Amino acid sequence: MTVEEKQLETTRRPEPGDAPAVIAPGQTFGAVTAQISSVPLLRRTIPPLWYIAVAIGLALVLIFLVTVSYLFGTGVGILGLQIPVAWGYPITTFVWWIGIGHAGTLISAFLLLLNQPWRSSINRFAEAMTIFAVICAGMFPILHLGRPWVAYWILPYPNTMTIQPQFRSPLVWDVFAVSTYFTVSLLFWYLGMIPDLATLRDQSKNRFSYAFYGILSWGWRGASRHWRLHETASLLLAGLATPLVLSVHTVVSFDFTIAILPGWHSTIFPPYFVAGAIYSGFAMVLVLMLPIRAAFGLDNLITERHINNCAKLMLTTGLILAYTYAIEPFTAWYSGDQFEIALVHNRAFGPHAWTYWGVILCNVLIPQLLWIRRFRVRTKPLFAISVVILYGMWLERYMIIITSLHRDFLPSAWANFIATVWDNFLVFGSIGVFIVLFALFVRFLPMISMYEVRELLPFSRPGGGSEK
Amino acid sequence: MTRLYGVVAEFDDPQPLVDAARLLHERGFRDVEAYTPYPVRQLDEYIPARRNLPLLVLVAGILGTLTAWIMQFYIAVIDYPTNIGGRPLNSWPSFIVIMFELTILFASVAAFFGMLGLCGFPLPHHPMFNTRGFENASNNRFFLCVEARDPLFDAEKVADLLSQMDPVEVKEVEEE
C-alpha cells in the first residue's frame, strides 16, 4: 500500500456524529496541490465562466475609462454633485467599497486569532477581495475632487508652498487609515501566499512561469525554521490587522460624525459603520465564492460548512445593523432636537424615502430568511440574498449621505440631489475594475491556500490527526 | 571538485521525519533542517528557530507612534500653525488616530520584511535545490538535511542513521 492510498484510507472514515467536515474526505497532499495549482499553471482548466466574467469586466472598465476621461476633462459638473450635496455618488461608493473589504480581513485575521480552521480554504480570496475593494474605494475620493491633479496636497511633505495638512480634520485621518489598511492587507496577503507561490514554482511546467513564481516566492524552500518565522509573522500581522480593520471604518465614520449635520453627528456611527462594513463584506465573499466554487469544482475544499458559517456571520452582523437602524430614530426622538427629528422624518417620508424603505427591505427584512437553514446552504437563494444585501448596503450609504446633506439647518440652503448617467457609469465601471482584478487573481495566483489546506488533512500531524 | 552540503533523507509521512529529527537532536546534531510542505509544529522542539521577530515588530511599532506624534506636533505647532476656532495648536487628542495608524503601519512593514530578512531572503539559489526530487518539498514530501558544517558530521554515519528511520531515499547533496 502506497502512502497516497494510506492517506485516502484515513480520510474516508468520517466519525459518526461529527459536524460536517471542513474538507471533504478523499484528499491527499498531492491531490490538493494538483487541484489548486492546476488553475494558474494549466490553461485548459479555465472554465467558460471566467472568460465571460473578464469580457463583462473589461466592457465595464471601458465605460469607466470613458467616464473618468470625460470627468477629468470637463469637471465634476457632469456628476450630480452640487452644493449642498457635494459628496453624492463618489463618496457613497467609496464607503461601500471600503466596507466590502472588511470581511476579508475579518476572515483572515480575526478567525486566525480565534483559531477557526474553516477559514483556511476561503481566506486567500477573501483577502484578495479586500485588496481589490480598497483599490476601487481609493479612486473615488480623488474622482470627486474639483482639482484631482492636486490630490497629493493632503499628504504632509516639505513643499515650496510652505503649506501643510490640517491634522485636526478627519479627512486627513482617513487618508492615513485607508492607505495603512491597503498596505497592511497587501503585506498580509502576500506573506501568506509565499509558500504557495513556491509550490507553483516547483510545479511549473515552463521557464516563464518558473521564473515568474520563482521571483515572487523569494526562494522559499519550506525550512522548518522559516515556517516558524512565517507563522510568527502571520500571527503578528493578524494581531495588528484586527484593531486596524475596526479603526478603518471607524475613521471613515468620523468623516461624518465630526460634522455637525443632523443624522451624522452621532456616537453610534463607528460601530454602525463597522457592522455594516462586515455585513456587506460577507455578502461580497459569498457573491464571489459561490460562482467560483461551482465553476472550478471546488466543492471538496469549500464545503457546506464554509457557506453556512459565512451566512450565519452575515445574519449576525445584519442583526447588529438592524439594531442601529432602530436606535437612530430613538436617539433623535430622545434628544428632543428638532433638526434631528426633522431629519428622521425626512428620511422616512421625504423625497428620498424610497432609499430608506429600500434599506429596511434589503438589509433587515429579506436577510431574515437566513434563519432558515435551506437559505444558508442552497447556493442559488444565498447568492440572491447576498446580491440584495450588497445593493441594500450601497443604498444605505446613499441614504446617509444624500438625506443629511440635501436638507440641513437652513431651508433656503436646501436642494434636491439628482444623479446623472455618469454617476452610474462610475459605480458600474468600478465594479468592472474589481471583476477584472479578481479574475486575474483567480487565473494567475493560488486562490486557495494550499499549505493551510494540507494542515487540515487528518494525517498532517505526525502520529495522526490534523495539525489544525 | 564540489563540496558536500549535507546528507538528506526524504520521507513521505511526517511521523518518521519527526522521529528522525528527535534522534538527531538526541545524538547532539544541531545543524539540522527539515523541509516540509506545511508547518509541522512538533519539529520546533528539535529544530529551534530564532525568536527575535516580535521584539523587532514592537520596536518598529513604537517608532511609528513617535514618528506620527513628532510629525503632527511639528507641523501643527511649529511649521504651519493654524488657528481654528481658537482651539489649542497642540490638540493632541486629534493626533491619536494617525499615531495609531502609523504604529500599525510601521509594525506590519517590520513584521513582513523582518521575517524575510531573518529567513535570509531573497535567496533564489540554495544548495538544497540541488536535491533530486526537492520540488516535492512544497507538495507531498518531507526532507531532513544534516548539514556538513555540523561538528559531528560524518557522511557515512549520518546516512546510516537516517536509513534506519524509514525514509524513501537517503542522498548526498553538493554545494554546486
Side-chain angles (χ1 to χ4, degrees):
Chain A
M1 199 190 254
T2 68
V3 169
E4 261 75 23
E5 283 166 358
K6 253 190 281 178
Q7 292 180 351
L8 277 174
E9 190 62 26
T10 325
T11 58
R12 277 199 187 120
R13 260 183 279 122
E15 284 165 34
D18 268 1
V22 176
I23 300 291
Q27 312 295 320
T28 64
F29 293 135
V32 169
T33 310
Q35 188 184 2
I36 299 168
S37 68
S38 69
V39 178
L41 294 177
L42 306 168
R43 181 180 289 270
R44 66 186 155 75
T45 53
I46 303 303
L49 183 71
W50 188 84
Y51 292 97
I52 296 168
V54 170
I56 295 171
L58 284 176
L60 292 171
V61 167
L62 209 57
I63 292 175
F64 188 69
L65 291 176
V66 169
T67 312
V68 170
S69 309
Y70 182 38
L71 176 68
F72 283 173
T74 308
V76 286
I78 68 163
L79 306 176
L81 303 182
Q82 23 92 335
I83 299 300
V85 188
W87 277 10
Y89 266 41
I91 299 302
T92 302
T93 316
F94 160 73
V95 179
W96 184 65
W97 273 123
I98 204 103
I100 284 171
H102 281 48
T105 320
L106 186 104
I107 290 174
S108 57
F110 280 34
L111 299 183
L112 176 68
L113 295 180
L114 295 174
N115 208 5
Q116 293 291 309
W118 63 274
R119 63 179 270 289
S120 294
S121 40
I122 58 171
N123 68 341
R124 175 72 43 75
F125 68 77
E127 272 173 56
M129 176 196 82
T130 299
I131 288 156
F132 303 144
V134 177
I135 288 173
C136 289
M139 296 188 288
F140 279 93
I142 295 171
L143 292 176
H144 99 301
L145 293 178
R147 288 180 287 166
W149 54 92
V150 294
Y152 63 91
W153 283 6
I154 196 135
L155 299 171
Y157 68 102
N159 57 68
T160 52
M161 304 171 290
T162 69
I163 56 164
Q164 289 295 346
Q166 162 58 275
F167 288 112
R168 279 166 288 193
S169 161
L171 297 182
V172 181
W173 305 347
D174 213 13
V175 172
F176 278 87
V178 173
S179 53
T180 300
Y181 186 44
F182 177 73
T183 314
V184 173
S185 302
L186 189 68
L187 292 178
F188 195 18
W189 182 58
Y190 185 40
L191 181 81
M193 209 149 48
I194 289 173
D196 283 352
L197 291 167
T199 301
L200 291 183
R201 172 199 65 199
D202 294 341
Q203 299 292 320
S204 59
K205 306 282 187 289
N206 61 55
R207 288 189 66 80
F208 176 77
S209 61
Y210 183 77
F212 180 72
Y213 296 115
I215 290 166
L216 284 181
S217 61
W218 294 74
W220 179 265
R221 50 186 191 276
S224 68
R225 289 184 173 94
H226 294 174
W227 276 121
R228 184 77 211 154
L229 281 165
H230 186 265
E231 207 173 14
T232 310
S234 299
L235 281 170
L236 285 167
L237 276 172
L240 292 164
T242 300
L244 177 67
V245 67
L246 295 178
S247 86
V248 174
H249 232 57
T250 303
V251 173
V252 170
S253 80
F254 285 166
D255 293 343
F256 296 80
T257 50
I258 290 187
I260 53 162
L261 278 181
W264 285 7
H265 194 57
S266 162
T267 49
I268 205 168
F269 260 48
Y272 172 20
F273 268 49
V274 171
I278 293 166
Y279 188 44
S280 61
F282 270 105
M284 187 58 107
V285 167
L286 286 167
V287 163
L288 294 169
M289 180 165 88
L290 297 174
I292 288 176
R293 174 176 180 259
F296 288 91
L298 297 170
D299 312 34
N300 53 344
L301 301 176
I302 301 171
T303 58
E304 189 184 294
R305 180 145 163 216
H306 296 101
I307 297 170
N308 197 357
N309 281 356
C310 284
K312 281 179 185 165
L313 278 167
M314 197 158 76
L315 180 62
T316 313
T317 45
L319 291 173
I320 301 174
L321 202 61
Y323 168 78
T324 58
Y325 290 162
I327 229 64
E328 275 212 307
F330 172 79
T331 326
W333 169 75
Y334 195 69
S335 72
D337 182 277
Q338 58 169 320
F339 296 106
E340 288 285 342
I341 294 169
L343 176 98
V344 168
H345 192 268
N346 182 39
R347 272 190 186 162
F349 306 107
H352 295 281
W354 64 276
T355 61
Y356 182 78
W357 299 109
V359 165
I360 299 290
L361 179 72
C362 296
N363 291 351
V364 180
L365 298 179
I366 293 177
Q368 299 311 316
L369 289 171
L370 294 172
W371 286 103
I372 305 161
R373 186 184 152 80
R374 198 169 61 235
F375 287 94
R376 293 200 307 267
V377 296
R378 289 247 192 101
T379 54
K380 277 171 195 151
L382 186 57
F383 183 83
I385 293 174
S386 302
V387 172
V388 166
I389 290 172
L390 279 176
Y391 176 67
M393 286 309 297
W394 190 87
L395 214 54
E396 181 211 283
R397 276 64 179 259
Y398 177 91
M399 174 193 82
I400 293 171
I401 288 174
I402 307 299
T403 56
S404 275
L405 282 173
H406 89 124
R407 289 183 179 174
D408 60 358
F409 302 98
L410 204 59
S412 64
W414 289 4
N416 201 3
F417 173 81
I418 297 158
T420 66
V421 66
W422 301 105
D423 274 311
N424 290 295
F425 280 177
L426 270 190
V427 177
F428 284 99
S430 72
I431 295 174
V433 173
F434 182 78
I435 293 174
V436 170
L437 287 172
F438 204 83
L440 290 176
F441 155 71
V442 165
R443 173 67 184 85
F444 292 109
L445 294 171
M447 65 175 140
I448 290 183
S449 174
M450 288 183 263
Y451 81 90
E452 283 173 299
V453 170
R454 288 185 203 118
E455 282 183 283
L456 289 177
L457 298 180
F459 39 83
S460 65
R461 198 213 309 257
S466 71
E467 278 280 357
K468 280 191 174 172
Chain B
M1 189 183 146
T2 56
R3 281 195 315 131
L4 193 64
Y5 175 73
V7 173
V8 174
E10 179 180 343
F11 301 94
D12 56 10
D13 192 77
Q15 182 63 59
L17 171 84
V18 173
D19 292 340
R22 183 190 301 123
L23 181 74
L24 289 167
H25 189 80
E26 281 163 5
R27 297 282 169 94
F29 290 93
R30 289 297 174 268
D31 289 313
V32 176
E33 184 61 276
Y35 300 86
T36 55
Y38 58 87
V40 177
R41 287 175 182 75
Q42 271 125 312
L43 287 171
D44 295 343
E45 203 180 318
Y46 313 118
I47 305 174
R50 297 168 74 175
R51 294 184 179 275
N52 34 12
L53 187 59
L55 183 68
L56 184 77
V57 172
L58 177 69
V59 170
I62 293 170
L63 208 63
T65 321
L66 289 177
T67 307
W69 181 70
I70 292 168
M71 174 188 77
Q72 294 183 91
F73 181 83
Y74 174 74
I75 288 175
V77 179
I78 298 162
D79 188 38
Y80 196 69
T82 39
N83 184 341
I84 296 182
R87 290 182 185 81
L89 291 176
N90 181 22
S91 301
W92 64 267
S94 49
F95 299 164
I96 289 173
V97 173
I98 293 179
M99 284 163 74
F100 172 78
E101 300 296 341
L102 287 199
T103 306
I104 302 280
L105 182 67
F106 277 47
S108 303
V109 169
F112 181 80
F113 288 101
M115 177 239 147
L116 291 180
L118 289 174
C119 288
F121 292 153
L123 191 69
H125 292 289
H126 187 272
M128 277 309 287
F129 288 120
N130 300 332
T131 315
R132 199 167 357 97
F134 192 67
E135 65 273 10
N136 285 327
S138 64
N139 178 15
N140 56 0
R141 292 298 165 93
F142 303 79
F143 291 77
L144 190 68
C145 176
V146 184
E147 289 160 24
R149 65 193 162 126
D150 194 294
L152 301 175
F153 184 81
D154 177 326
E156 278 175 28
K157 278 184 189 162
V158 171
D160 273 353
L161 200 62
L162 287 173
S163 314
Q164 295 161 19
M165 303 309 296
D166 192 24
V168 178
E169 200 183 353
V170 176
K171 42 207 156 189
E172 294 189 346
V173 173
E174 288 170 346
E175 292 266 9
E176 283 307 315

